[in-house]
């Protein structure tokens, strides 16, 4: 994605080390981190600044300060996107962040690749929240500037009670679907995947549609993020599909 070049990123948070860590990850991927400050109270960003994405880095138990920061940013920069980057998942924090006007709640436990993909989605106007936050009542209240097909793919650190992490991670993907999902993670186009597996592009499209339905996401970018979050649980031998493609299509 090239959306990063049209945004300024502002990182807010009490702890400079955490701000610097987030900043370095983003700058290494070509994002423009324009400001890194403890809080929004003394920010002075010129009126004609490009689109803004505020990332509020949170570490600790007191989330009230984060809520106040979100509200302050929304008051002074109503067109900006605001998201929280939390060191640990807080049970009520995604809901509180959403109610204050944030369009994202990212947990620091995800991989750098998944984090970068999530930032790109935020820049595209989508919302990123943990799956446990996804409920019809809250979905109806997503701010109008956030897209209707909000993304609820940020990995929750804790598996649901009575269900193993591995059992809920990969919902019955076939070997071929798993192989194609790995291609999506690599950013391969349908045409490239078709050539690699030696099947038709229409067949690839059908498999991608099935993958999206099974893992309950809206598009291939969201599927790639899901795949990166669940990579440890994907079957290691899925690439054997490439070697047996000719036999299956014979």
């Amino acid at each position: 994605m090239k959306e990063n070049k049209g945004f300024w990123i502002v990182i807010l948070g009490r702890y400079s080390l955490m701000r610097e860590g987030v900043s370095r990850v983003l700058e290494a991927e070509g994002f423009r981190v324009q400001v890194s400050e403890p809080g929004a109270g003394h920010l002075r960003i010129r009126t004609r600044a490009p689109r803004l994405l505020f990332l509020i880095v949170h570490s600790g138990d007191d989330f009230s300060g984060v809520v106040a920061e979100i509200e302050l940013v929304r008051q002074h920069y109503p067109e900006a996107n605001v998201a929280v980057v939390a060191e640990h998942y807080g049970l009520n924090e995604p809901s509180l962040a959403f109610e204050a006007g944030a369009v994202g709640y990212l947990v620091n436990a995800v991989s750098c690749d998944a984090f970068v993909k999530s930032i790109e989605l935020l820049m595209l106007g989508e919302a990123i929240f943990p799956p446990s936050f996804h409920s019809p009542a809250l979905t109806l209240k997503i701010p109008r500037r956030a897209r209707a097909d909000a993304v609820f793919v940020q990995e929750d650190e804790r598996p649901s009670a009575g269900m193993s992490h591995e059992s809920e991670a990969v919902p019955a993907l076939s070997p071929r679907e798993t192989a194609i999902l790995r291609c999506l993670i690599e950013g391969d186009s349908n045409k490239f995947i078709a050539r690699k597996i030696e099947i038709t592009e229409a067949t690839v499209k059908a498999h991608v549609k099935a993958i999206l339905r099974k893992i309950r996401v809206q598009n291939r970018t969201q599927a790639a993020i899901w795949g990166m979050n669940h990579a440890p649980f994907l079957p290691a031998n899925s690439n054997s599909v490439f070697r047996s493609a000719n036999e299956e299509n014979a």
Side-chain angles (χ1 to χ4, degrees):
M1 294 184 186
K2 303 299 182 182
E3 291 291 319
N4 52 351
K5 295 183 179 179
F7 273 80
W8 279 4
I9 295 179
V10 179
I11 301 176
L12 305 176
R14 293 166 54 188
Y15 301 102
S16 60
L17 188 61
M18 288 188 65
R19 296 200 315 270
E20 183 178 350
V22 172
S23 179
R24 288 190 178 187
V25 168
L26 295 176
E27 288 177 339
E29 295 295 328
F31 293 91
R32 296 179 180 178
V33 178
Q34 196 69 19
V35 180
S36 177
E37 294 288 345
H42 301 288
L43 284 178
R44 293 292 181 270
I45 300 176
R46 69 174 185 262
T47 305
R48 294 186 179 181
R51 292 170 292 177
L52 296 172
L53 172 62
F54 286 81
L55 299 179
I56 301 176
V57 181
H58 170 57
S59 175
D61 298 324
D62 184 11
F63 199 70
S64 60
V66 175
V67 171
E69 286 289 288
I70 296 171
E71 293 174 342
L72 186 60
V73 170
R74 298 290 297 124
Q75 177 183 349
H76 292 286
Y77 306 97
E79 298 303 317
N81 290 342
V82 187
V84 175
V85 181
E87 184 177 22
H88 302 291
Y89 177 83
L91 184 60
N92 298 317
E93 291 177 1
S95 179
L96 292 171
F98 176 83
E99 293 294 336
V103 294
Y105 180 93
L106 313 179
V107 180
N108 197 33
V110 300
S111 69
C112 287
D113 286 342
F115 176 69
V116 168
K117 286 289 186 182
S118 297
I119 296 299
E120 290 177 338
L121 285 171
L122 289 170
M123 289 179 170
L124 290 173
E126 302 204 43
I128 307 285
F129 286 96
S132 58
F133 175 78
H134 193 186
S135 68
L138 290 173
T139 302
L140 293 173
K141 296 173 64 178
I142 291 176
R144 283 179 294 177
R145 57 193 177 78
R147 289 174 52 174
D149 57 340
V151 189
F152 298 89
V153 296
Q154 178 77 12
E155 180 69 7
D156 193 325
E157 289 185 273
R158 299 169 298 174
S160 301
M163 181 182 295
S164 71
H165 195 168
E166 184 171 359
S167 66
E168 66 172 347
V170 183
L173 294 179
S174 70
R176 170 150 290 177
E177 289 168 346
T178 303
I180 290 176
L181 177 59
R182 291 187 183 278
C183 292
L184 297 182
I185 294 172
E186 294 299 320
D188 294 342
S189 66
N190 286 351
K191 184 176 182 180
F192 185 85
I193 297 171
R195 188 181 305 132
K196 182 186 292 187
I197 307 181
E198 299 185 7
I199 59 177
T200 67
E201 192 170 346
T203 302
V204 174
K205 290 180 180 179
H207 281 303
V208 170
K209 185 176 180 180
I211 292 168
L212 300 185
R213 184 184 69 252
K214 287 183 178 181
I215 66 178
R216 295 181 294 178
V217 299
Q218 299 294 324
N219 56 51
R220 53 198 298 128
T221 301
Q222 297 169 18
I225 295 175
W226 187 96
M228 285 186 289
N229 278 325
H230 295 82
F233 307 108
L234 294 177
N237 63 348
S238 60
N239 287 335
S240 63
V241 171
F242 300 136
R243 297 192 298 269
S244 62
N246 288 332
E247 297 178 6
E248 182 174 318
N249 290 303

